[in-house]
Coordinates of all heavy atoms in Angstrom, one line a residue:
M1 N 6.3 14.1 -29.0 CA 5.2 13.8 -29.9 C 5.0 12.3 -30.0 O 5.9 11.6 -30.5 CB 5.4 14.4 -31.3 CG 4.4 13.9 -32.4 SD 2.7 14.3 -31.9 CE 2.7 16.1 -32.0
G2 N 4.0 11.8 -29.4 CA 3.9 10.4 -29.3 C 4.4 9.8 -28.0 O 5.2 10.5 -27.4
Y3 N 3.9 8.7 -27.6 CA 4.4 8.1 -26.3 C 4.5 6.6 -26.4 O 3.9 5.8 -25.7 CB 3.4 8.5 -25.1 CG 4.1 8.3 -23.8 CD1 5.1 9.0 -23.3 CD2 3.6 7.2 -22.9 CE1 5.7 8.8 -22.1 CE2 4.1 7.0 -21.7 CZ 5.3 7.7 -21.3 OH 5.8 7.5 -20.1
G4 N 5.3 6.2 -27.4 CA 5.6 4.8 -27.5 C 6.9 4.4 -26.9 O 7.4 5.2 -26.0
N5 N 7.6 3.4 -27.2 CA 8.8 2.9 -26.6 C 9.9 3.9 -26.7 O 10.6 4.2 -25.7 CB 9.3 1.6 -27.2 CG 8.4 0.4 -26.9 OD1 7.9 0.4 -25.8 ND2 8.4 -0.5 -27.8
L6 N 10.0 4.6 -27.8 CA 11.1 5.5 -28.0 C 10.9 6.8 -27.1 O 11.8 7.3 -26.5 CB 11.2 6.0 -29.5 CG 12.3 7.0 -29.8 CD1 13.7 6.5 -29.3 CD2 12.4 7.4 -31.2
S7 N 9.7 7.3 -27.1 CA 9.4 8.5 -26.3 C 9.6 8.2 -24.8 O 10.0 9.0 -24.0 CB 8.0 9.0 -26.6 OG 7.9 9.6 -27.9
R8 N 9.2 7.0 -24.4 CA 9.4 6.6 -23.0 C 10.9 6.5 -22.7 O 11.4 6.8 -21.6 CB 8.8 5.3 -22.7 CG 7.3 5.4 -22.6 CD 6.6 4.1 -22.1 NE 6.6 3.0 -23.1 CZ 5.6 2.8 -23.9 NH1 4.6 3.6 -23.9 NH2 5.6 1.9 -24.8
G9 N 11.7 6.2 -23.7 CA 13.2 6.2 -23.6 C 13.7 7.6 -23.4 O 14.6 7.8 -22.6
V10 N 13.2 8.5 -24.2 CA 13.6 9.9 -24.0 C 13.2 10.5 -22.7 O 14.0 11.1 -22.0 CB 13.0 10.8 -25.2 CG1 13.4 12.2 -24.9 CG2 13.5 10.3 -26.5
E11 N 12.0 10.1 -22.2 CA 11.5 10.5 -20.9 C 12.5 10.0 -19.8 O 12.8 10.8 -18.9 CB 10.1 10.0 -20.7 CG 9.6 10.4 -19.3 CD 8.2 9.7 -19.0 OE1 7.9 8.6 -19.5 OE2 7.4 10.4 -18.3
A12 N 12.9 8.8 -19.9 CA 13.9 8.3 -18.9 C 15.1 9.0 -19.0 O 15.8 9.3 -17.9 CB 14.1 6.7 -19.2
A13 N 15.6 9.4 -20.2 CA 16.9 10.1 -20.3 C 16.8 11.5 -19.7 O 17.7 12.0 -19.0 CB 17.3 10.2 -21.7
I14 N 15.7 12.1 -19.9 CA 15.5 13.5 -19.3 C 15.6 13.5 -17.9 O 16.2 14.4 -17.2 CB 14.1 14.1 -19.8 CG1 14.1 14.4 -21.3 CG2 13.7 15.4 -19.0 CD1 12.8 14.8 -21.9
K15 N 15.1 12.5 -17.2 CA 15.2 12.4 -15.7 C 16.7 12.4 -15.2 O 17.0 12.7 -14.1 CB 14.5 11.1 -15.3 CG 13.0 11.1 -15.4 CD 12.4 9.8 -14.9 CE 10.9 9.8 -15.0 NZ 10.3 10.7 -14.1
N16 N 17.6 12.0 -16.1 CA 19.0 12.0 -15.8 C 19.8 13.2 -16.1 O 21.0 13.3 -15.9 CB 19.7 10.8 -16.4 CG 19.2 9.5 -15.9 OD1 18.8 9.3 -14.7 ND2 19.0 8.4 -16.8
C17 N 19.1 14.2 -16.7 CA 19.7 15.4 -17.1 C 19.2 16.7 -16.4 O 18.0 17.0 -16.5 CB 19.5 15.6 -18.6 SG 20.1 14.2 -19.7
D18 N 20.0 17.3 -15.6 CA 19.6 18.4 -14.9 C 19.2 19.7 -15.7 O 18.5 20.5 -15.2 CB 20.8 18.8 -13.9 CG 21.0 17.8 -12.8 OD1 20.1 17.0 -12.6 OD2 22.1 17.8 -12.2
D19 N 19.7 19.7 -16.9 CA 19.4 20.9 -17.7 C 18.2 20.7 -18.7 O 17.9 21.6 -19.5 CB 20.6 21.3 -18.5 CG 21.0 20.3 -19.5 OD1 20.9 19.0 -19.2 OD2 21.6 20.6 -20.6
L20 N 17.6 19.5 -18.7 CA 16.4 19.2 -19.5 C 15.2 19.0 -18.7 O 15.2 18.4 -17.6 CB 16.6 17.9 -20.4 CG 17.9 17.9 -21.2 CD1 18.0 16.6 -22.0 CD2 18.0 19.1 -22.2
E21 N 14.0 19.5 -19.2 CA 12.8 19.4 -18.5 C 11.7 19.0 -19.5 O 11.5 19.6 -20.6 CB 12.4 20.7 -17.9 CG 11.1 20.8 -17.2 CD 10.7 22.1 -16.8 OE1 11.4 23.1 -17.2 OE2 9.7 22.2 -16.0
L22 N 11.0 17.9 -19.2 CA 9.8 17.5 -20.0 C 8.6 18.3 -19.6 O 8.2 18.4 -18.4 CB 9.5 16.0 -19.8 CG 8.3 15.5 -20.5 CD1 8.5 15.5 -22.0 CD2 8.0 14.0 -20.1
V23 N 8.1 19.0 -20.6 CA 7.0 20.0 -20.3 C 5.6 19.6 -20.9 O 4.6 20.1 -20.4 CB 7.3 21.4 -20.7 CG1 8.5 21.9 -20.0 CG2 7.6 21.5 -22.3
A24 N 5.6 18.7 -21.9 CA 4.4 18.3 -22.5 C 4.5 17.1 -23.3 O 5.6 16.8 -23.9 CB 3.7 19.4 -23.3
V25 N 3.4 16.2 -23.4 CA 3.4 15.1 -24.3 C 2.2 15.2 -25.1 O 1.1 15.5 -24.6 CB 3.4 13.7 -23.4 CG1 3.2 12.5 -24.4 CG2 4.6 13.6 -22.6
F26 N 2.3 15.0 -26.4 CA 1.2 15.1 -27.3 C 0.9 13.7 -28.0 O 1.9 12.9 -28.2 CB 1.5 16.1 -28.4 CG 1.8 17.5 -27.9 CD1 3.1 17.9 -27.6 CD2 0.8 18.3 -27.7 CE1 3.4 19.1 -27.0 CE2 1.0 19.6 -27.1 CZ 2.3 20.0 -26.8
T27 N -0.3 13.4 -28.2 CA -0.7 12.0 -28.7 C -1.9 12.1 -29.6 O -2.7 13.1 -29.5 CB -1.0 11.2 -27.5 OG1 -1.4 9.8 -28.0 CG2 -2.2 11.7 -26.7
R28 N -1.9 11.2 -30.5 CA -3.1 11.0 -31.4 C -4.2 10.2 -30.7 O -5.3 10.1 -31.2 CB -2.7 10.4 -32.7 CG -1.8 11.3 -33.6 CD -1.3 10.7 -34.9 NE -0.4 9.5 -34.6 CZ 0.4 9.0 -35.5 NH1 0.4 9.5 -36.7 NH2 1.2 8.0 -35.2
R29 N -3.8 9.5 -29.7 CA -4.8 8.8 -28.9 C -5.6 9.7 -28.0 O -5.3 10.9 -27.9 CB -4.0 7.7 -28.0 CG -3.4 6.6 -28.9 CD -2.7 5.6 -28.0 NE -1.3 6.1 -27.7 CZ -0.6 5.5 -26.7 NH1 -1.0 4.5 -26.0 NH2 0.7 6.0 -26.5
N30 N -6.6 9.1 -27.3 CA -7.3 9.8 -26.3 C -6.2 10.1 -25.1 O -5.7 9.2 -24.5 CB -8.4 9.0 -25.7 CG -9.2 9.7 -24.6 OD1 -8.8 10.7 -24.1 ND2 -10.3 9.1 -24.1
P31 N -6.0 11.4 -24.9 CA -5.0 11.8 -23.9 C -5.3 11.1 -22.5 O -4.3 10.8 -21.8 CB -5.1 13.3 -23.8 CG -5.6 13.7 -25.1 CD -6.5 12.6 -25.5
D32 N -6.5 10.9 -22.2 CA -6.9 10.4 -20.9 C -6.4 8.9 -20.8 O -6.3 8.3 -19.6 CB -8.4 10.4 -20.6 CG -8.9 11.8 -20.4 OD1 -8.1 12.7 -20.1 OD2 -10.1 12.1 -20.7
S33 N -6.1 8.3 -21.9 CA -5.7 6.9 -21.9 C -4.2 6.7 -21.8 O -3.7 5.6 -21.7 CB -6.2 6.2 -23.2 OG -5.5 6.6 -24.4
V34 N -3.4 7.8 -21.9 CA -2.0 7.8 -21.9 C -1.5 8.1 -20.5 O -1.7 9.2 -20.1 CB -1.4 8.7 -23.0 CG1 0.1 8.7 -22.9 CG2 -1.9 8.3 -24.3
K35 N -0.8 7.2 -19.8 CA -0.2 7.4 -18.5 C 1.3 7.5 -18.6 O 1.9 6.5 -19.0 CB -0.6 6.4 -17.5 CG -2.2 6.1 -17.5 CD -2.9 7.4 -17.1 CE -4.4 7.1 -17.0 NZ -5.2 8.4 -16.7
I36 N 1.9 8.7 -18.3 CA 3.3 8.9 -18.4 C 3.9 8.7 -17.0 O 3.2 8.7 -16.0 CB 3.7 10.2 -19.0 CG1 3.3 11.3 -18.1 CG2 3.0 10.3 -20.4 CD1 3.8 12.7 -18.7
K37 N 5.2 8.7 -16.9 CA 5.9 8.4 -15.6 C 6.3 9.7 -14.9 O 6.6 9.7 -13.7 CB 7.1 7.6 -15.9 CG 6.8 6.2 -16.3 CD 8.1 5.3 -16.5 CE 7.7 3.9 -16.9 NZ 9.0 3.0 -17.1
T38 N 6.3 10.8 -15.7 CA 6.7 12.1 -15.1 C 5.5 12.8 -14.5 O 4.5 13.0 -15.2 CB 7.4 13.0 -16.2 OG1 8.4 12.3 -16.8 CG2 8.0 14.3 -15.5
E39 N 5.6 13.2 -13.3 CA 4.5 13.8 -12.6 C 4.3 15.3 -13.0 O 5.3 16.0 -13.4 CB 4.7 13.8 -11.0 CG 4.7 12.4 -10.5 CD 4.9 12.4 -9.0 OE1 5.0 13.5 -8.4 OE2 4.7 11.3 -8.4
N40 N 3.1 15.7 -13.0 CA 2.7 17.1 -13.3 C 3.1 17.6 -14.7 O 3.4 18.8 -14.9 CB 3.4 18.0 -12.2 CG 3.0 17.7 -10.8 OD1 1.8 17.4 -10.5 ND2 3.9 17.6 -9.9
V41 N 3.1 16.7 -15.6 CA 3.3 17.1 -17.1 C 2.0 16.7 -17.8 O 1.6 15.6 -17.7 CB 4.5 16.3 -17.6 CG1 4.6 16.5 -19.1 CG2 5.8 16.8 -16.9
P42 N 1.5 17.6 -18.6 CA 0.3 17.4 -19.2 C 0.4 16.4 -20.4 O 1.4 16.5 -21.2 CB -0.2 18.8 -19.7 CG 1.0 19.6 -19.8 CD 2.0 19.0 -18.7
V43 N -0.6 15.6 -20.7 CA -0.7 14.8 -21.9 C -1.8 15.4 -22.7 O -3.0 15.5 -22.2 CB -1.0 13.3 -21.6 CG1 -1.1 12.5 -22.9 CG2 0.1 12.8 -20.7
L44 N -1.6 15.8 -23.9 CA -2.5 16.6 -24.6 C -2.7 16.0 -26.0 O -1.9 15.2 -26.5 CB -1.9 18.0 -24.9 CG -1.5 18.8 -23.6 CD1 -0.7 20.0 -23.9 CD2 -2.8 19.2 -22.8
S45 N -3.8 16.4 -26.6 CA -4.1 16.0 -28.0 C -3.1 16.7 -29.0 O -2.7 17.8 -28.8 CB -5.5 16.4 -28.4 OG -5.8 16.2 -29.8

């Protein structure tokens, strides 16, 4: 929920964990304006 500095830190940590998977990011901003680093994961309102 949200994609600020902390959420980006969690996203980076998930990449290092074989048992964790990022499946969605939710934002109060326009989802089209939020670019995340993980491919094929939706950014939603």
Side-chain angles (χ1 to χ4, degrees):
M1 172 56 68
Y3 195 68
N5 287 329
L6 180 57
S7 290
R8 286 191 285 270
V10 177
E11 180 185 30
I14 290 172
K15 290 178 180 292
N16 294 325
C17 299
D18 292 338
D19 62 329
L20 305 182
E21 176 187 13
L22 180 63
V23 296
V25 175
F26 301 91
T27 179
R28 290 176 294 195
R29 291 178 277 170
N30 178 354
D32 293 336
S33 71
V34 178
K35 306 301 179 186
I36 69 173
K37 295 182 178 179
T38 307
E39 295 181 356
N40 302 317
V41 171
V43 179
L44 305 165
S45 169

